[in-house]
Amino acid sequence: MTTTPEKIEPYTAPARLSGADRSLIGLLVFSAFVVIFNETVMSLALPRLMADLNISAATAQWLTTGFLLVMAVVIPATGFIMERFSLRQIFIAAMGLFSLGTAIAAVAPGFELLLLGRIVQAAGTGVMMPLVMTTAMTLVPASSRGRIMGVISIVISVAPAIGPTVSGLVLSRLSWRWLFLVVLPIALATLIIGSVKVRNITTPKKAHLDVLSLLLSAIGFGGLIYGLSSVGESAGHAPVAPWIPVVAGVAALALFVWRQRALQSGRGPLMDLRVFAHRSFTVSLLVLVTGFVGLFGALILLPIYLQNVHGVGTLQAGLLVLPGGVAMGVLSPIIGRLFDRYGPRPLVTPGTVAVSAALWLLSMVDAGTPLPLVVVFHMLLTSGLATLITPLMTSALSTLPMNLYGHGSAIIGTLQQLAGAAGTALFITVLSQTIASEGARGATEIAATTSGIQAAFVWGGVISLVAVALSLLVRRTEPLPEGHAPMH
């Protein structure tokens, strides 16, 4: 990424969003949808890859784990990246890396190059979502932010949900390479259009990159995500005991926080933790994280339930969870408009109640539960999450001064990844332990799996009650002007 001087005019948000600004945000949102959708397309392709490339399940899983680890390294650094480089430079670098990684993966003759392609993809993906959120917060007037963040919420919530469905459709007719060949021309077209249309709205400034902070961040967030993913993806049978990277990650994060505080009065931190001095940001983020735990836990559990208990095929399982993703996509912009009018409180508390109700209802499903009823429960869950995500993200970022938008977006993106890994790990651990316990008592495989699914959703229901309680602390606050002191 070069730093060739460009003519950059300081940007001041107008009272109304112009057509050019709408086009810019639309292009960025579409780009983000493409790269985030790509995160989950590998989930159904792993068995096919194991056969075609003659690799083990543990080796194939690195196509997902490696992707997550690179994201864990890149996302925390996006606050620095957005201070140091212009919007146009960042966009071209991010979409360029994603397109290059997609091309490498599409033509990869073996596992090694396929993994390299996924890693290069992840480097571009990690930057894109914080870039979109920061740009929207900079361009959009406070009175309209809910509507725009509602559209952005579609990317965060729906794109990962439909990835497995599209993957199942492609794999039912074509080879795994088409998962990349379908995306590649779209990514390249977006890169070409963006290189012409994306303009600069901020003035880059010299920012210090603290190498020690970057290293601690990589070990901390990477260790936690790897450890939690090892539990979730391999049911505890990982090459390294999952607790080792988790402990190392926690220790590194403690040092990372200390380092950021030490740099605050000097050359500047990699991740500005002053965002947590804003009460609305902290409370909103806590509720958001608990919601993501439920979302990603359900995304991993429902296909297992549908395939192992009801005996449906991979493609049918993907199609059965699709209505939930569609409901989320339809509701998110509507919720955004309601947020602009009423604020977060009237939406967030009913949303957490809906999520909690859905998780408790899912804890009662068994082999005799009609599939349409399971779809309804899932739609209730995703509808509740749609009612949460847009108001909480908008409320969290709106109370930050403009100079902290990039750091706030980076923290939301990082904790979203952690919440996904934690939700997957928790649900799969409970599922595996319950299956083992019930199997030892002589239960059939279907009965043991059903008990495991129910127990895992009970844990999700308990966590959701925490979200309900926290939602009562969410309140409407007015956006802070640039340079305003944080609230304590």
Side-chain angles (χ1 to χ4, degrees):
M1 191 181 294
T2 62
T3 55
T4 304
E6 299 182 51
K7 185 177 180 181
I8 300 170
E9 299 295 334
Y11 183 86
T12 303
R16 295 178 62 85
L17 198 61
S18 68
D21 290 343
R22 290 180 185 276
S23 298
L24 174 58
I25 292 174
L27 177 63
L28 293 177
V29 168
F30 180 77
S31 303
F33 188 92
V34 173
V35 301
I36 299 296
F37 158 80
N38 172 77
E39 268 195 74
T40 55
V41 295
M42 282 280 94
S43 58
L44 295 182
L46 295 184
R48 180 82 62 85
L49 288 164
M50 289 164 58
D52 288 358
L53 302 179
N54 193 26
I55 56 177
S56 67
T59 300
Q61 194 61 58
W62 273 101
L63 295 170
T64 300
T65 304
F67 192 97
L68 289 174
L69 289 177
V70 175
M71 293 268 286
V73 174
V74 172
I75 293 177
T78 52
F80 160 80
I81 291 171
M82 284 184 279
E83 284 185 5
R84 184 66 182 84
F85 302 98
S86 70
L87 173 63
R88 188 167 181 273
Q89 288 174 326
I90 298 170
F91 176 84
I92 291 174
M95 284 307 297
L97 284 170
F98 178 79
S99 300
L100 175 61
T102 304
I104 293 172
V107 301
F111 171 77
E112 291 78 9
L113 271 183
L114 180 56
L115 178 60
L116 175 63
R118 289 286 286 171
I119 288 172
V120 175
Q121 277 186 325
T125 302
V127 177
M128 188 57 69
M129 204 61 231
L131 178 67
V132 173
M133 287 195 287
T134 301
T135 303
M137 293 300 298
T138 303
L139 288 174
V140 180
S143 60
S144 304
R145 284 176 179 167
R147 281 179 291 174
I148 299 300
M149 294 299 279
V151 176
I152 294 174
S153 297
I154 298 175
V155 175
I156 293 176
S157 54
V158 178
I162 68 171
T165 304
V166 175
S167 178
L169 288 170
V170 171
L171 293 172
S172 66
R173 293 286 185 268
L174 303 166
S175 78
W176 59 266
R177 294 185 187 279
W178 282 94
L179 295 174
F180 303 103
L181 290 171
V182 168
V183 172
L184 182 58
I186 300 173
L188 288 172
T190 305
L191 173 60
I192 293 168
I193 295 171
S195 65
V196 175
K197 296 291 187 181
V198 172
R199 70 186 192 282
N200 298 312
I201 60 171
T202 59
T203 303
K205 61 183 181 181
K206 288 188 176 181
H208 170 70
L209 177 60
D210 184 63
V211 177
L212 179 57
S213 293
L214 190 62
L215 179 62
L216 289 172
S217 168
I219 297 173
F221 293 114
L224 279 174
I225 288 178
Y226 175 69
L228 294 171
S229 298
S230 296
V231 175
E233 292 165 354
S234 52
H237 302 292
V240 178
W243 67 267
I244 295 176
V246 168
V247 170
V250 170
L253 278 184
L255 291 173
F256 175 78
V257 171
W258 169 82
R259 180 68 176 170
Q260 303 319 291
R261 293 177 66 89
L263 291 171
Q264 194 67 65
S265 58
R267 293 174 296 181
L270 176 71
M271 183 178 280
D272 199 327
L273 302 181
R274 287 180 299 173
V275 295
F276 290 108
H278 297 261
R279 178 188 179 278
S280 181
F281 179 87
T282 303
V283 172
S284 297
L285 190 60
L286 287 173
V287 183
L288 198 58
V289 165
T290 55
F292 279 129
V293 168
L295 170 62
F296 285 96
L299 281 177
I300 196 73
L301 270 193
L302 278 175
I304 294 173
Y305 164 73
L306 292 169
Q307 293 177 72
N308 294 3
V309 176
H310 274 277
V312 304
T314 300
L315 177 57
Q316 188 181 354
L319 292 173
L320 285 169
V321 299
L322 184 59
V326 172
M328 214 168 187
V330 170
L331 279 176
S332 291
I334 298 172
I335 296 300
R337 293 189 183 94
L338 293 174
F339 170 86
D340 288 334
R341 184 169 183 179
Y342 299 108
R345 184 70 176 275
L347 298 168
V348 172
T349 299
T352 56
V353 171
V355 169
S356 184
L359 289 169
W360 286 108
L361 288 170
L362 286 167
S363 73
M364 295 183 285
V365 297
D366 56 28
T369 305
L371 288 177
L373 192 58
V374 177
V375 172
V376 169
F377 291 165
H378 183 230
M379 291 180 69
L380 176 62
L381 174 67
T382 56
S383 299
L385 287 166
T387 312
L388 294 180
I389 293 174
T390 298
L392 290 172
M393 283 199 313
T394 311
S395 181
L397 292 173
S398 289
T399 51
L400 299 178
M402 188 179 294
N403 63 306
L404 292 181
Y405 285 164
H407 292 279
S409 300
I411 288 171
I412 290 175
T414 301
L415 293 185
Q416 177 190 343
Q417 296 294 319
L418 279 176
T424 301
L426 172 65
F427 281 45
I428 291 298
T429 299
V430 173
L431 172 66
S432 302
Q433 291 181 350
T434 305
I435 289 176
S437 175
E438 292 295 315
R441 295 174 184 169
T444 64
E445 183 178 346
I446 291 179
T449 303
T450 300
S451 296
I453 295 287
Q454 292 172 342
F457 275 122
V458 165
W459 274 88
V462 171
I463 292 173
S464 71
L465 296 178
V466 176
V468 172
L470 287 171
S471 73
L472 300 175
L473 302 176
V474 174
R475 64 183 185 218
R476 185 167 199 160
T477 53
E478 294 303 317
L480 290 176
E482 170 69 21
H484 195 285
M487 294 177 293
H488 295 279

